[in-house]
Amino acid sequence: MRSTLPSGKLILALIALVLASFVTAAPSRALEPVSISRDDTAIDLKPAVDIHRGQGRSFQVATVPGADGIVRRIEIEANSPDASGNWAVFALANNTDEQIDRLVVAPHFRLVGSGIVWPDLGSQRIASITPSQGFALERQPSSDADVFLVTLDPGAIVTFVAELTAYNLPDIRLWEPNAYKDTINAFTLYRGIVLGISGLLAVFLTILFVVKGSAMFPATAALAWAVLAYICIDFDFWQKLVPILPGQERMWRAGTEVALAFTLVVFLYAYLNLNRWHGLLSIFTVLWLAALGTLGAVAAFDPVIASGIARLSLAATAVVGLGLIATFAAQGFDRAIMLIPTWCLILLWLVAGWMTTTGRIDNDIIQPALGGGLVLIVLLIGFTVMQHAFAGGGFAQGLLSDMERRSLALAGTGDAIFDWDVSRDRIFAGADGDALAGMPVASMNGPARDWLPILHPDDRDRFRLTLDTILEHRRGRISQEFRLRDEDGHYHWMALRARPVLGSDGEVARCVGTLKDVTERKKAEERLLHDALHDQLTGLPNRELFMDRLDAIGVLAATRSDVHPTIFVIDLDRFKQVNDDFGIATGDTILLTLGRRLKRLLKPEDSLARLGSDQFGLILLSQTEVGAVAAFAETLRDGIKAPITFANREIVLTGAIGLTGWTESSSPDEVLKEAELAMYEAKRSGGDRIEPFRPSYRSAGYGRLQVESDLRRAFERNELSLAFQPIIRLDGEETAGFEALLRWEHPRRGAISPTEFVPIAESTGLIVQLGQFALEEAARRLSDWHRMTGNQKLFMSVNISSRQLIRQDLIADVKTVLERYRLPQGSLKLELTESIVMDNPERSAQLLTRLRGLGVGLSLDDFGTGYSSLAYLMGFPFDTLKIDQSFLKNNSQPQRPIILHSIVTMAHDLGLQVVAEGVETDADVVLLRQLNCEYAQSFMFSQPLSAEQARKALNDQMAGLKRAS
């Protein structure tokens, strides 16, 4: 079609249009229309929207080419009185042959991409939308979004200009009306369910707060109401309850976020009972809450700042709470442990919220899902506090009855009163007497946290955890010992015995009990512990403590180049002869004197220990030079040789000294072994000499040291056992009992004779362990055989060494096995030789009398071989006499039968039974029967038997007796 304008005017019009397009042309993307089809349900228009800011109330823009290809220019006037000057332009194209209706939707608030520090809290986004042709779009009713209905004719291409009321347009979409309605309905149903659950939770927790008086219940209820308020705002339910003017929704949204931050801090503080022990933390929490309270007022004037700070506070609360919960949970605080799952969910919720507000997660589901997550958090918190609400019972009746009687009983104990009023957090501690003499009573009466400064630092956490646990569980008793600092700065051990008293609500109202000063008892326990690691005679460290110090010094030597320890082993020469000549008491005095003398030669960093009977160990750290170490060894040698005056006599001893140095590859056992090898080499050379270790000593043969070392390991490796030699009743020649004999089956050498390892065990102190093993094993076997045979008269004899006899623990050991295995009276017999008894007759008589009082049989072994007086022997409570085998062997000598007859007759006159050892012939048996000797024991009747062989022999004997009867 030809233009009706003159050609000149047409050209001028085109030039003007081009110039205008250069002046006000929109960005190119706004000129690209969004194509719409019948199947489209929702289209994101944000990428196709061009936003113009600061354009004033009048805005001109060029339209996209229409169906006729002509670019037009339109001018729009703002409709709102307070125009922002911001405009948005987009174009739609209907490429179908049907008319299409669509909804343009711009939500007022969208959490996605809203930001953290300066968040976008929402507002009305679009005041009106004007198309390039036709009338302005009709606004549809909606409280949470700007919704406009647009109708596109077939083939139409329309440019739309939206007047913005806000600076940003976070989201704008084109919806098919029915699809939008279905989506709104779906979210409405979900939001209704979440709102209903949240409301019920808030009401329920409020009721729980009314019923229960504990601080954590109102804190939990407040958090539930804050969550409900936040969801009402977020789900656009608040406007249905309270009319909100345009622009006020930001203030309400910021206020609910501040409330969330405030109530979460309050809940954490109340639930973990932070006020009880942590004064500084309480002050910090109060300041934090005051700042959040001020922030609530700021939300009315500047919601953006208030919301940003509230969101940062939520994150800080989560981090601080995680640290507190982890700390308290590690200390065993039940509340902290129970809160771990809920706090993990809070952390997960905050991470999801951070990813949403920063735009890392961008979908329509995340915002309502976060609201549902908040309700789930409150639900978990509700379950947690309900465990406290319904645990425990009502007030126990009768606790305060018989007041006068209980008061008199308490006064009689002399203990102090401990009364903790939990609701007021006040402790009363007092006493009528001097139970708290010297204690800082003023500091003890007041809040529980006032006890922490006067408690020993190592006891504070345990004391605090104990009180917290009682409050958590609402049952149990406090039985704890801790140290309190008195007014002079010294610590006293106090024993607290208390129990909780429950109130009508099931919570702990008071905690009442007694305080007692147990310092003396604790000191006695410390002395017992000291005795377990130190030699009782000299007070020096024993072998166990010496090895522990060796191990520690080895670690030190491995890390410090200036530490070069030297290890000495000192063994006294011919010390057994001193015991034989002067007695054990004199020998103990000499050992005590030598121990003190050697200790005076050491410096504080050196260490001395008693390793065995007359053997000492020494760790030298103060001297590292070879010459200085040699000079010190000579000083040791001279110190041992210095005369010891005793009973107007001078006793001169010498010692064999072995020494070795520490190497990088050394271990404590190896170093001690090297020093002992050197010491034994010095003894082999005659004693009274100093011998450094040489590697050749390792291959010198399987000597005493190796036997001792293997014997120590034999206990752990179960190489020791008992053999049982039958003791025969001569009248009938049936087994009446057994003698327990120690056996050692070495893994390489095979069976080792007791004559080889028993003397070594006696000299090193291992004989005590051997004796305890033999006593325990023999009693166990005897108990089994009693049950098997039903013969309660079957007895077992166990040999006792001199070291066992002088120990204080022998009575306790024997009493223990008697009670453990329920052995009949007289069935367990202890065998002792004359020489052991006569070493200290007075002490032996007292000890044997006490053993006899326990119901233990006592047998005097090897009678006739010693040099003791018969008058002494008559004073001991023996019930059995064992004749040494030397009186039955070589009966060719005519005086032997006469001596044998005299011994048996004397024993019977003293009321003793007789066991003859070494019976070799039938003639010996006939002679012993004629003398009315009760028992015999020798290889003629039986070799020593294993436990299984002895059991079989007893079974065979029982079967034979049954056949005979």
Side-chain angles (χ1 to χ4, degrees):
M1 175 182 294
R2 290 180 61 90
S3 173
T4 58
L5 292 174
S7 60
K9 291 183 179 181
L10 179 60
I11 293 173
L12 290 175
L14 290 174
I15 293 173
L17 182 61
V18 171
L19 291 175
S21 65
F22 276 110
V23 173
T24 61
S28 59
R29 63 175 180 174
L31 301 178
E32 294 293 332
V34 178
S35 297
I36 303 173
S37 66
R38 290 189 300 270
D39 298 331
D40 294 331
T41 58
I43 299 175
D44 186 5
L45 296 180
K46 187 69 181 297
V49 172
D50 187 14
I51 296 178
H52 303 263
R53 294 185 175 89
Q55 299 298 318
R57 294 186 58 85
S58 178
F59 177 62
Q60 294 183 2
V61 67
T63 66
V64 298
D68 54 3
I70 298 175
V71 176
R72 296 177 176 82
R73 185 166 189 78
I74 58 176
E75 181 175 357
I76 310 298
E77 289 289 335
N79 293 327
S80 57
D82 299 326
S84 65
N86 300 327
W87 303 83
V89 181
F90 60 93
L92 303 177
N94 181 2
N95 297 324
T96 67
D97 55 359
E98 296 179 1
Q99 181 176 291
I100 295 178
D101 292 332
R102 290 293 185 266
L103 295 176
V104 178
V105 180
H108 291 170
F109 174 73
R110 194 163 187 257
L111 187 64
V112 175
S114 62
I116 296 177
V117 180
W118 302 98
D120 183 349
L121 298 180
S123 64
Q124 187 183 40
R125 302 294 177 176
I126 300 176
S128 63
I129 300 179
T130 303
S132 59
Q133 56 185 13
F135 298 101
L137 273 62
E138 181 181 356
R139 179 184 290 273
Q140 303 298 306
S142 177
S143 59
D144 61 346
D146 297 319
V147 183
F148 297 88
L149 177 63
V150 57
T151 301
L152 297 177
D153 294 328
I157 301 176
V158 182
T159 301
F160 296 88
V161 180
E163 179 188 349
L164 301 182
T165 58
Y167 186 79
N168 291 325
L169 185 62
D171 186 41
I172 181 170
R173 300 191 186 190
L174 192 69
W175 282 88
E176 196 277 325
N178 291 329
Y180 180 70
K181 180 180 179 181
D182 293 341
T183 302
I184 293 298
N185 290 337
F187 277 113
T188 301
L189 177 62
Y190 168 77
R191 290 170 176 174
I193 294 173
V194 172
L195 277 169
I197 296 174
S198 180
L200 287 175
L201 271 175
V203 172
F204 174 76
L205 292 173
T206 303
I207 295 173
L208 196 62
F209 154 53
V210 174
V211 175
K212 300 291 180 180
S214 178
M216 69 174 163
F217 299 115
T220 307
L223 179 62
W225 283 109
V227 169
L228 178 61
Y230 177 83
I231 292 176
C232 286
I233 294 294
D234 194 51
F235 287 0
D236 195 36
F237 184 71
W238 192 255
Q239 295 186 22
K240 297 177 175 60
L241 300 176
V242 179
I244 299 177
L245 298 176
Q248 289 185 342
E249 64 271 9
R250 296 192 301 166
M251 178 188 69
W252 288 100
R253 191 179 304 278
T256 56
E257 291 184 3
V258 172
L260 266 180
F262 185 92
T263 54
L264 185 62
V265 174
V266 171
F267 167 75
L268 184 68
Y269 179 79
Y271 182 83
L272 294 180
N273 278 329
L274 299 181
N275 63 312
R276 186 175 303 142
W277 307 113
H278 309 282
L280 291 178
L281 193 56
S282 298
I283 296 173
F284 176 76
T285 305
V286 170
L287 294 176
W288 193 339
L289 292 176
L292 288 175
T294 305
L295 198 63
V298 173
F301 303 99
D302 196 334
V304 174
I305 291 180
S307 175
I309 297 176
R311 293 181 180 185
L312 293 177
S313 175
L314 281 172
T317 304
V319 174
V320 173
L322 179 63
L324 291 173
I325 292 170
T327 302
F328 293 154
Q331 296 174 358
F333 188 24
D334 287 348
R335 286 194 182 184
I337 296 173
M338 294 170 62
L339 194 59
I340 290 176
T342 303
W343 209 256
C344 289
L345 184 60
I346 291 175
L347 291 172
L348 182 62
W349 186 88
L350 286 174
V351 170
W354 168 73
M355 296 180 70
T356 302
T357 54
T358 55
R360 288 172 171 80
I361 298 178
D362 185 2
N363 56 60
D364 296 331
I365 299 176
I366 185 62
Q367 185 169 335
L370 287 175
L374 266 181
V375 177
L376 179 59
I377 289 171
V378 175
L379 186 63
L380 283 178
I381 291 176
F383 285 151
T384 303
V385 299
M386 281 168 58
Q387 296 183 44
H388 298 276
F390 298 109
F395 188 84
Q397 299 297 324
L399 288 178
L400 302 179
S401 62
D402 300 328
M403 186 63 69
E404 293 181 353
R405 182 173 58 189
R406 295 173 184 267
S407 178
L408 289 173
L410 178 61
T413 63
D415 296 345
I417 298 173
F418 176 88
D419 181 12
W420 181 27
D421 187 344
V422 177
S423 58
R424 297 191 304 120
D425 190 20
R426 289 293 181 270
I427 292 178
F428 169 79
D432 294 335
D434 57 353
L436 294 179
M439 292 290 104
V441 178
S443 300
M444 297 166 64
N445 286 275
R449 61 172 172 267
D450 286 356
W451 281 57
L452 297 182
I454 61 175
L455 280 167
H456 193 280
D458 295 340
D459 298 332
R460 291 171 185 169
D461 290 341
R462 187 161 49 88
F463 177 80
R464 182 173 52 196
L465 180 61
T466 300
L467 296 190
D468 286 341
T469 303
I470 285 292
L471 296 188
E472 295 301 317
H473 290 224
R474 292 176 291 284
R475 62 180 183 275
R477 293 178 182 271
I478 298 176
S479 179
Q480 189 184 40
E481 295 177 352
F482 46 81
R483 286 158 289 185
L484 276 179
R485 188 178 65 244
D486 65 12
E487 295 172 346
D488 297 331
H490 302 99
Y491 282 99
H492 289 245
W493 277 100
M494 306 296 292
L496 173 61
R497 304 290 182 269
R499 60 173 297 177
V501 179
L502 303 184
S504 58
D505 59 354
E507 295 293 327
V508 177
R510 308 184 81 87
C511 195
V512 184
T514 61
L515 271 174
K516 185 176 183 180
D517 192 326
V518 292
T519 304
E520 293 302 322
R521 177 172 63 80
K522 295 297 290 187
K523 288 182 178 179
E525 292 175 358
E526 291 173 359
R527 285 194 296 268
L528 289 175
L529 179 61
H530 177 274
D531 292 343
L533 296 174
H534 292 78
D535 178 57
Q536 295 183 10
L537 175 63
T538 62
L540 295 173
N542 58 16
R543 178 180 284 269
E544 287 75 15
L545 185 54
F546 183 76
M547 294 302 296
D548 182 72
R549 290 183 177 178
L550 266 182
D551 188 53
I553 288 174
V555 174
L556 191 64
T559 56
R560 289 180 50 181
S561 58
D562 59 330
V563 177
H564 301 286
T566 304
I567 287 77
F568 293 78
V569 172
I570 306 163
D571 191 271
L572 301 181
D573 300 325
R574 298 176 296 280
F575 183 74
K576 189 175 184 302
Q577 188 65 40
V578 174
N579 280 336
D580 293 341
D581 293 345
F582 299 98
I584 294 177
T586 302
D588 289 347
T589 303
I590 292 173
L591 286 175
L592 181 60
T593 302
L594 278 176
R596 292 174 177 173
R597 184 183 292 175
L598 295 177
K599 193 171 181 62
R600 285 196 294 267
L601 300 176
L602 305 182
K603 293 185 178 179
E605 59 266 36
D606 303 327
S607 182
L608 179 68
R610 186 184 178 195
L611 304 181
S613 152
D614 57 346
Q615 193 175 101
F616 295 88
L618 191 151
I619 305 173
L620 182 66
L621 285 173
S622 58
Q623 303 293 342
T624 57
E625 299 294 333
V626 175
V629 172
F632 177 81
E634 287 293 342
T635 304
L636 281 180
R637 181 183 177 190
D638 295 340
I640 297 171
K641 292 174 66 175
I644 299 174
T645 302
F646 184 82
N648 298 324
R649 297 183 58 181
E650 285 191 346
I651 300 174
V652 178
L653 293 175
T654 59
I657 302 175
L659 61 94
T660 186
W662 194 285
T663 61
E664 293 182 359
S665 60
S666 298
S667 67
D669 288 335
E670 291 174 350
V671 169
L672 183 60
K673 180 179 177 180
E674 291 176 356
E676 287 177 331
L677 284 171
M679 180 270 293
Y680 285 125
E681 182 64 24
K683 290 190 78 71
R684 279 194 292 268
S685 301
D688 189 22
R689 60 182 288 133
I690 302 167
E691 192 69 35
F693 171 75
R694 295 179 178 84
S696 59
Y697 295 164
R698 294 185 185 276
S699 57
Y702 200 95
R704 172 192 173 100
L705 178 60
Q706 190 63 46
V707 174
E708 178 187 342
S709 178
D710 290 350
L711 184 57
R712 292 185 186 279
R713 298 188 181 95
F715 291 97
E716 304 172 1
R717 299 174 179 174
N718 297 321
E719 297 172 4
L720 296 170
S721 62
L722 291 183
F724 304 91
Q725 185 166 25
I727 299 175
I728 305 300
R729 182 178 289 106
L730 289 174
D731 184 12
E733 295 192 6
E734 61 185 32
T735 301
F738 296 89
E739 179 181 359
L741 305 173
L742 271 171
R743 293 292 183 263
W744 180 15
E745 188 68 26
H746 194 278
R748 293 192 301 275
R749 297 181 59 193
I752 298 180
S753 171
T755 58
E756 182 178 353
F757 69 82
V758 169
I760 296 176
E762 289 180 343
S763 64
T764 59
L766 291 173
I767 193 66
V768 175
Q769 289 178 264
L770 289 176
Q772 288 175 331
F773 167 78
L775 184 64
E776 177 81 18
E777 181 69 10
R780 184 173 69 86
R781 295 295 183 184
L782 180 60
S783 176
D784 292 342
W785 295 339
H786 280 169
R787 290 194 298 270
M788 181 188 73
T789 62
N791 180 12
Q792 299 295 310
K793 294 183 179 180
L794 188 70
F795 61 84
M796 179 75 72
S797 295
V798 182
N799 291 282
I800 298 297
S801 68
S802 59
R803 279 187 171 272
Q804 287 177 277
L805 190 64
I806 64 175
R807 287 179 72 247
Q808 297 290 339
D809 296 336
L810 179 60
I811 299 292
D813 293 343
V814 172
K815 186 177 181 180
T816 298
V817 299
L818 289 176
E819 293 175 352
R820 180 179 300 164
Y821 299 108
R822 300 178 182 179
L823 298 179
Q825 193 167 17
S827 60
L828 179 65
K829 293 181 180 290
L830 303 181
E831 291 192 4
L832 303 94
T833 63
E834 281 184 79
S835 58
I836 292 176
V837 174
M838 297 309 298
D839 275 344
N840 192 337
E842 292 79 8
R843 174 176 171 77
S844 298
Q846 294 177 1
L847 188 62
L848 295 179
T849 301
R850 293 180 63 186
L851 288 171
R852 188 65 184 271
L854 295 176
V856 175
L858 297 174
S859 178
L860 183 61
D861 196 12
D862 298 338
F863 180 78
T865 60
Y867 49 84
S868 56
S869 167
L870 289 176
Y872 263 119
L873 293 179
M874 291 173 63
F876 295 110
F878 290 106
D879 55 31
T880 304
L881 194 69
K882 295 189 76 171
I883 303 174
D884 187 71
Q885 60 185 351
S886 60
F887 292 98
L888 285 171
K889 293 184 178 181
N890 302 320
N891 268 341
S892 58
Q893 297 182 7
Q895 64 271 25
R896 289 297 176 89
I898 298 172
I899 297 175
L900 183 62
H901 180 273
S902 300
I903 293 175
V904 175
T905 302
M906 179 199 67
H908 286 161
D909 290 342
L910 293 175
L912 306 178
Q913 294 180 327
V914 180
V915 179
E917 293 184 302
V919 178
E920 294 182 338
T921 63
D922 292 336
D924 294 339
V925 175
V926 171
L927 175 61
L928 291 172
R929 283 176 178 168
Q930 291 174 351
L931 296 174
N932 292 325
C933 179
E934 290 85 357
Y935 305 104
Q937 174 184 348
S938 72
F939 289 170
M940 173 183 172
F941 296 103
S942 175
Q943 296 279 346
L945 307 175
S946 66
E948 186 59 34
Q949 289 171 337
R951 186 175 186 277
K952 186 176 183 302
L954 289 174
N955 275 329
D956 293 343
Q957 180 173 294
M958 288 174 56
L961 292 175
K962 288 180 180 179
R963 286 194 298 270
S965 62

